[in-house]
Amino acid sequence: MNVNFGPTMTLAAYQQAQATALPQTGSAATNSMTVLGLALAGMLFGGVGLKKQRN
């Protein structure tokens, strides 16, 4: 049985590829934090206009 894993990469080539690659950021976590922040800001500023006005 012969298993072919595709072209192999040398250590130097792997390190060069990692050095030029952009970091993968957690976009899912960032999106959920953005939604949470907007919801909190909306509750804060929305509650300001609900006070009764006295004449």
Side-chain angles (χ1 to χ4, degrees), residues 25-44:
T25 58
S27 62
T30 303
N31 289 339
S32 62
M33 291 301 288
T34 302
V35 170
L36 180 63
L38 289 174
L40 289 173
M43 289 185 340
L44 177 69

Side-chain angles (χ1 to χ4, degrees), residues 3-50:
V3 179
N4 186 5
F5 291 108
T8 58
M9 189 180 262
T10 64
L11 179 61
Y14 175 75
Q15 289 173 339
Q16 179 64 30
Q18 292 298 314
T20 58
L22 293 174
Q24 299 297 315
T25 58
S27 62
T30 303
N31 289 339
S32 62
M33 291 301 288
T34 302
V35 170
L36 180 63
L38 289 174
L40 289 173
M43 289 185 340
L44 177 69
F45 292 117
V48 172
L50 296 178

